[in-house]
Amino acid sequence: MGKLSGKTALVSGSSRGIGRATALRLARDGALVAVHCSSNRAAAEETVAAVEKDGGRAFSVVAELGVPGDVHELFLALERELKERTGTTTLDILVNNAGVMGGVDPEELTPEQFDRLWAVNAKAPYFLVQRALAHLPDGGRIINISSGLTRVANPQEIAYAMTKGAVDQLTLHFAKHLGPRGITVNSVGPGITDNGSAVFSDPEAVAAMAGYSVFNRVGEARDIADVVAFLASDDSRWITGSYLDASGGTLLG
Ligand code: NDP
């Protein structure tokens, strides 16, 4: 019996990267996992197939976040699929992972780019939490993926880091609000983490990025997934409202 047997989980943005590794890990621990993506259903189905190959259970839900009606659309699909598989719409674990980065000169960033970052990275997680509250049982888990960039300066990512600062505030205040229900709310802050994108195939770039960690390597998606799995489990029951630095010591300077 895995630590999450009988539990259900939604991992937003789990068609690839950290989200995919998280879906795999939570499913390995026994959870039935909703694998969510924006539009790339084929990639989400690849995650589902990988979970099933591993002996786990998962299904995909597609909904673009950051557009009007986003959370409603996601939950309509989620509720339908959960009901079909479990007979209820109980959601034990919500992982707010989906996010977009900026990478724009701070003097060039447009209001439209700024709004998009906020809509996907901060507004959507807020309303996913709000919508999930009707489905989360007492003792449920909310895990928000933040970023080490809330602690170190990178001018190319000011607006992105601002959205992740907002995610940490979401964590802090909802943790107090949901304490009476035994629901824990925590943030995980990755450092540079290999998400399978092209830059991680460039040895020179990887060597430079590795230098930020005291372990002299870039993070693997499963490094983050394992931290999320801990927070999703009963082992973390006494931790709420916290920011867990999962940057391989990047913040140590
Ligand atoms: P990826 O870019 O590899 O994957 C992003 C995931 O989010 C995909 O599943 C994608 O779906 C989904 N997604 C993106 N935009 C939307 C949207 N508008 N609506 C719905 N889903 C969306 O991300 P990472 O694995 O790199 O990052 C995961 C989280 O970790 C993010 O919140 C990121 O900010 C954070 N983080 C990452 C770091 C890193 O170095 N990788 C460092 C610090 C924090 P689809 O496939 O359909 O596009």
Side-chain angles (χ1 to χ4, degrees):
M1 281 264 288
K3 284 186 172 178
L4 301 179
S5 287
K7 306 281 189 197
T8 57
L10 166 64
V11 183
S12 73
S14 45
S15 51
R16 50 197 164 92
I18 292 169
R20 173 177 284 183
T22 300
L24 279 162
R25 174 62 208 265
L26 298 185
R28 196 169 302 141
D29 286 355
L32 167 64
V33 181
V35 173
H36 161 261
C37 72
S38 167
S39 57
N40 195 347
R41 186 182 281 279
E45 285 299 334
E46 273 177 37
T47 304
V48 171
V51 165
E52 288 172 346
K53 193 167 169 229
D54 216 18
R57 292 195 307 149
F59 58 86
S60 64
V61 287
V62 180
E64 181 180 0
L65 297 173
V67 296
D70 52 359
V71 170
H72 184 61
E73 188 184 331
L74 194 162
F75 265 82
L76 281 186
L78 178 69
E79 287 162 14
R80 188 180 60 241
E81 298 288 343
L82 283 175
K83 188 103 197 198
E84 199 177 298
R85 287 166 174 80
T86 68
T88 77
T89 60
T90 299
L91 180 69
D92 298 285
I93 301 154
L94 167 63
V95 184
N96 270 314
N97 167 78
V100 284
M101 288 198 72
V104 180
D105 183 328
E107 299 189 25
E108 303 290 334
L109 185 86
T110 65
E112 291 74 22
Q113 289 169 322
F114 186 93
D115 286 348
R116 174 77 180 151
L117 284 166
W118 276 82
V120 177
N121 293 0
K123 185 176 178 184
Y126 181 94
F127 286 100
L128 283 170
V129 170
Q130 188 192 65
R131 179 70 182 251
L133 291 183
H135 303 277
L136 280 162
D138 289 1
R141 295 282 185 269
I142 298 171
I143 299 141
N144 300 315
I145 305 301
S146 175
S147 169
L149 285 177
T150 55
R151 269 72 175 167
V152 284
N154 177 347
Q156 301 298 310
E157 296 291 353
I158 293 177
Y160 168 80
M162 288 171 71
T163 67
K164 293 299 189 178
V167 165
D168 292 344
Q169 292 302 310
L170 176 71
T171 293
L172 183 71
H173 297 280
F174 262 120
K176 181 140 186 168
H177 184 63
L178 297 175
R181 289 176 56 187
I183 296 172
T184 68
V185 190
N186 292 290
S187 285
V188 175
I192 297 173
T193 308
D194 186 347
N195 59 7
S197 65
V199 69
F200 292 99
S201 303
D202 174 348
E204 261 182 51
V206 170
M209 291 188 285
Y212 287 104
S213 162
V214 295
F215 302 129
N216 198 33
R217 68 171 177 85
V218 296
E220 297 294 329
R222 66 187 173 85
D223 293 326
I224 311 304
D226 289 349
V227 178
V228 174
F230 163 67
L231 289 174
S233 76
D234 185 58
D235 293 344
S236 69
R237 63 196 167 276
W238 203 234
I239 301 174
T240 195
S242 77
Y243 172 91
L244 262 76
D245 169 15
S247 70
T250 297
L251 305 181
L252 298 176

